[in-house]
Amino acid sequence: MENYFEPQMEKRAVNEISALGLAHVGDGVFELLVRTALCTGGRATQTSLHKATVRQVSAPAQAARMERMLPLLTEEELDYYRRGRNAHAHHSIPKNASRDQYAKATGLETLFGALYLLGQRDRILELFTLTMEETNAI
């Protein structure tokens, strides 16, 4: 039985997934981390949880977080980030984001998707925690 909660794919297999496929997974990983941090941080009402989540997972917020994360990345992690940032997913940019912010947010999601599929959950948590603490976002 495949363990979808804790995948551990080989690097070769992860590299065969498109940047947008990795971003699709990474979007879910990032949002789950934000939601978990908000719930465990004592956000009580559904309204405040939803607003705080939307604020944290928006492209501008992800782009700002990515800027702070860049110096922390290894060369391999930077490669995944650049794959996502340079992906041609910029035809549906949200109204509240610039093209540059959307590209950086896609890069963050691609990085988190790759790390998740590679089984590097400790590294995801490290990057997430460092950047969340810096922003006092949660």
Side-chain angles (χ1 to χ4, degrees):
M1 174 187 235
E2 186 75 30
N3 183 348
Y4 296 111
F5 278 114
E6 297 181 337
Q8 191 132 8
M9 295 176 67
E10 294 181 18
K11 185 177 177 183
R12 177 194 48 73
V14 171
N15 288 342
E16 290 175 359
I17 299 171
S18 72
L20 297 181
L22 294 173
H24 180 71
V25 171
D27 177 55
V29 171
F30 187 79
E31 185 161 342
L32 181 60
L33 288 168
V34 167
R35 287 174 179 243
T36 302
L38 289 170
C39 285
T40 60
R43 303 279 178 140
T45 69
Q46 178 60 33
T47 303
S48 66
L49 283 171
H50 178 72
K51 287 180 181 177
T53 300
V54 169
R55 195 169 45 253
Q56 293 305 312
V57 300
S58 71
Q62 286 182 335
R65 186 165 291 112
M66 193 64 239
E67 285 291 326
R68 291 185 299 279
M69 198 180 296
L70 282 172
L72 307 172
L73 300 182
T74 66
E75 198 57 44
E76 182 179 356
E77 292 167 345
L78 280 168
D79 288 343
Y80 284 116
Y81 163 71
R82 286 190 284 266
R83 272 183 66 192
R85 184 196 62 200
N86 296 334
H88 298 289
H90 313 300
H91 59 277
S92 58
I93 299 170
K95 290 181 274 185
N96 68 334
S98 70
R99 181 175 295 277
D100 183 58
Q101 289 171 325
Y102 191 69
K104 288 176 182 174
T106 303
L108 180 145
E109 292 170 350
T110 301
L111 169 63
F112 274 40
L115 291 175
Y116 177 74
L117 293 174
L118 289 166
Q120 296 181 20
R121 285 167 290 288
D122 288 342
R123 181 61 174 156
I124 294 169
L125 187 58
E126 177 183 17
L127 292 170
F128 180 82
T129 303
L130 286 171
T131 57
M132 295 306 278
E133 289 174 356
E134 286 182 20
T135 62
N136 294 320
I138 297 178

